[in-house]
């Protein structure tokens, strides 16, 4: 039973850490132990409608979960994080970074320009150290490696759902981040 005790202790620690972040206004959803973190900066009306329960429950969240499943991720292998509080005020870079670190994803998918700008600010030093300017700027479609995380900026994902060509572009980007381990 020592293994179960350790798992219980880890779960309690993660839970306490996330509760502390939530008390400071961090808005997250999904599985806190997921390998993929979806970072959203520009909130839709659906996101705002029943906040905080509604983050990534609209068409964009459904499309992202379907895309991750098609790539081979387990259905529960995702978490979502807003770059702003429920009231719309931006998270401070330090708090955004603390939230990302607490969730400890292997892969971060940046879902819009606001999220890309927030991530750039939170990880400015690490991005500046990357060898490629395009990777350091989180250029849309490129996978950057930041502190052991794969970071992919898919552009304005929610807007891409309005056009078949844009959906295909987003899908092409997402195919660059397959699961790193065995498929489920």
């Amino acid at each position: 039973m020592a293994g179960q005790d350790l798992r219980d202790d880890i779960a309690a620690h993660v839970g306490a850490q996330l509760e502390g972040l939530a008390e400071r206004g961090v808005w997250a959803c999904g599985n806190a132990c997921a390998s993929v973190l979806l970072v959203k900066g520009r909130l839709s009306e659906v996101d705002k409608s029943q906040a905080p329960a509604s983050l990534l429950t609209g068409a964009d969240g459904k499309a992202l979960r379907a895309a991750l499943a098609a790539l081979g991720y387990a259905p529960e292998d995702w978490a979502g994080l807003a770059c702003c509080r429920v009231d719309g005020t931006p998270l401070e870079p330090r708090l955004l970074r603390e939230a990302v670190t607490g969730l400890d994803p292997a892969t971060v998918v940046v879902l819009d320009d606001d999220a890309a700008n927030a991530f750039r600010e939170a990880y400015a030093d690490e991005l500046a150290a990357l060898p490629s300017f395009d990777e350091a700027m989180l250029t849309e479609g490129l996978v950057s490696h930041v502190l052991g995380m794969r970071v992919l900026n898919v552009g304005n994902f929610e807007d891409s759902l309005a056009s078949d060509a844009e959906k295909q572009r987003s899908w092409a980007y997402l195919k660059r981040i397959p699961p790193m381990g065995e498929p489920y």
Side-chain angles (χ1 to χ4, degrees):
M1 272 302 178
Q4 184 62 45
D5 291 340
L6 178 59
R7 285 191 291 276
D8 291 344
D9 288 347
I10 291 169
H13 174 75
V14 170
Q17 187 175 33
L18 293 176
E19 284 177 25
L21 289 168
E23 289 170 3
R24 292 186 283 154
V26 173
W27 184 7
C29 64
N31 179 358
C33 297
S35 67
V36 179
L37 177 62
L38 308 170
V39 181
K40 189 167 186 177
R42 193 177 72 212
L43 303 179
S44 69
E45 290 307 313
V46 173
D47 294 322
K48 296 174 191 174
S49 68
Q50 298 173 13
S54 57
L55 183 63
L56 292 168
T57 60
D60 60 337
K62 290 175 185 152
L64 286 161
R65 288 189 293 280
L68 292 173
L71 289 170
Y73 288 94
E76 70 280 359
D77 200 9
W78 67 276
L81 176 66
C83 292
C84 62
R85 292 174 174 78
V86 174
D87 68 6
T89 59
L91 293 179
E92 299 81 13
R94 175 193 52 74
L95 186 54
L96 176 62
R97 186 179 175 118
E98 184 179 341
V100 171
T101 301
L103 292 166
D104 193 26
T107 303
V108 176
V109 181
V110 178
L111 300 176
D112 55 58
D113 294 337
D114 292 349
N117 288 333
F119 197 89
R120 284 184 199 107
E121 192 171 350
Y123 288 90
D125 292 340
E126 290 79 11
L127 290 168
L130 293 176
S132 160
F133 178 77
D134 288 333
E135 286 180 67
M137 293 306 297
L138 297 177
T139 298
E140 190 175 310
L142 292 180
V143 177
S144 300
H145 295 272
V146 179
L147 297 175
M149 299 178 290
R150 298 183 300 178
V151 181
L152 172 66
N153 176 2
V154 294
N156 290 307
F157 184 82
E158 191 168 16
D159 294 345
S160 77
L161 299 177
S163 153
D164 285 341
E166 291 298 308
K167 279 192 253 187
Q168 289 300 315
R169 177 190 51 81
S170 293
W171 173 238
Y173 292 164
L174 289 167
K175 288 193 290 188
R176 296 175 183 169
I177 54 164
M180 293 193 294
E182 293 296 323
Y184 69 94

